[in-house]
Amino acid sequence: MVALIPMIIGLYFGKRLKVYEAIFSIVFLFLIFDGDHWQQGVNLLIYLVYEFILTFTYQHYRTKKDSKNKTWIFYLMVILAIIPVAAVKYLTAFPIKSMPFVIGFLGISYITFKNVQVIMELRDGAIKQVDPLTYARFLLFFPTISSGPIDRYRRFKKDFDKAPSRDQYIDDLGTATRYLFQGFAYKFIIGCFFGTYLLPKISAAALATGNANGGLKLSWWVVAYMYVYSMYLFFDFAGYSLFAVSISYYMGIHTPMNFNKPFISKNIKDFWNRWHMTLSFWFRDYIYMRFTFFAMKKKLFKSRIRLSQVSYFLLFLIMGFWHGLTWYYIVYGIYHATAICINDAWLRFKRKHKDKLPSNKFTEWLAIFITFNVVCFSFLIFSGFLSQLWFGWQ
């Protein structure tokens, strides 16, 4: 907060201190990657050079007259951009003991998402020109580098290129302060209560019950674990996302929110429009929609329903693999894809029989209740606790 004061004063008087902001970010990035994490810092620098080469090579290529006819160059650049994060995910799941150095660094996934987004929008023509300094600031934006939210280059550049008006910035200061205290309440009070106090006790009770029963038997302790873990996951994750958004607002950058009351969702699609929104929207725009358009263009499926189902499974399988190469992350992805396909079938049934089905406050709350429990069970899968129960009972 002390380091933010010069930026706050500058923005209050309508000036963005870009040099100071760059120094501020570099200093705090150094603090993240110092000490035992210095190898991660070196990896970050190497990775940035690599991604810069890809992005600006492709930008230069796009200036050529025949560039639109060679889509394989675009696919090659996207594949090369995601190879580092894919390698990190693989080596995390299957480490090589003889490897003397650290692979990857904190925040590699979020930077990769940003880089792939820029390459795709260069191809679409949505981005005409990438400024190297703005691009470096975009990729290395300190508040969001480690945990998101995932911003978009065009939106970031719009904020970065000019300082907000005084009235707008005063509003930003109020919003930033509110998000900061809300983040503290979420992460260090509510999240801590669920995660540090309740979760270990319930976990131990569930494991003890399983050992006593001598088999994979779901007890009420497992049900309790499901709800407590879900609350912990939300308040912890939403808490540090609020910190990132708060510091961004102090810096005059309107980083998008990551959560919007996800536990009042009326169906699973509504949930994904409220939960980790910047990630779900990124996957929607750059995987789901692009695969759908590609499949429609190539006429891979006769039925639009079948196409959407395949697209959902592709989307959530990739999301599962992105979280990690373990069975429960993959099952988590399959579970959500299945839930969305069932939800789509139900919505089609409702449209067909809308005159025969009731629609009132009770059905609305019932939908919220069902969605909440469907989501909480998915988090139980995601937590890996079922794996602990199984292996703990063998």
Side-chain angles (χ1 to χ4, degrees), residues 1 6 68-69 82 97 105 113 126 168 172 174 179 189 227 230 236 245 348:
M1 293 303 296
K68 294 182 180 180
N69 300 323
I82 64 176
K97 294 182 179 180
F105 55 89
F113 289 145
Q168 183 184 1
D172 287 349
Y179 285 160
I189 299 176
Y227 290 121
S230 297
D236 184 74
V245 175
R348 290 193 297 270

Side-chain angles (χ1 to χ4, degrees), residues 58 67 74 84 88 106 133 143 145 175 254 262 276 290 315 340 376:
Y58 186 67
S67 63
F74 163 71
V88 168
L106 184 68
L133 292 179
I145 190 172
T175 302
H254 294 168
H276 205 345
R290 287 172 186 272
L315 170 67
I340 285 189
C376 286

Side-chain angles (χ1 to χ4, degrees), residues 257-281:
M257 289 289 286
N258 237 356
F259 296 91
N260 179 24
K261 303 175 183 177
F263 292 137
I264 64 168
S265 304
K266 297 177 183 177
N267 57 56
I268 198 69
K269 273 189 175 179
D270 187 26
F271 169 78
W272 279 108
N273 285 328
R274 295 170 177 270
W275 176 272
H276 205 345
M277 295 183 292
T278 59
L279 177 70
S280 62
F281 294 163

Side-chain angles (χ1 to χ4, degrees), residues 1-17 20-21 24 163-166 169-170 172-174 176-177 180 246-252:
M1 293 303 296
V2 172
L4 284 171
I5 290 174
M7 276 184 274
I8 293 172
I9 294 173
L11 289 168
Y12 180 80
F13 288 102
K15 295 182 180 180
R16 182 174 291 283
L17 308 179
Y20 179 81
E21 288 181 25
F24 171 86
S165 67
R166 178 171 295 184
Y169 187 61
I170 291 172
D172 287 349
L173 289 176
T177 305
L180 185 66
S246 170
I247 302 304
S248 299
Y249 270 65
Y250 280 121
M251 297 173 69

Side-chain angles (χ1 to χ4, degrees), residues 229-246:
Y229 177 80
S230 297
M231 294 301 102
Y232 160 69
L233 182 65
F234 167 69
F235 284 108
D236 184 74
F237 193 2
Y240 60 72
S241 291
L242 282 166
F243 289 146
V245 175
S246 170

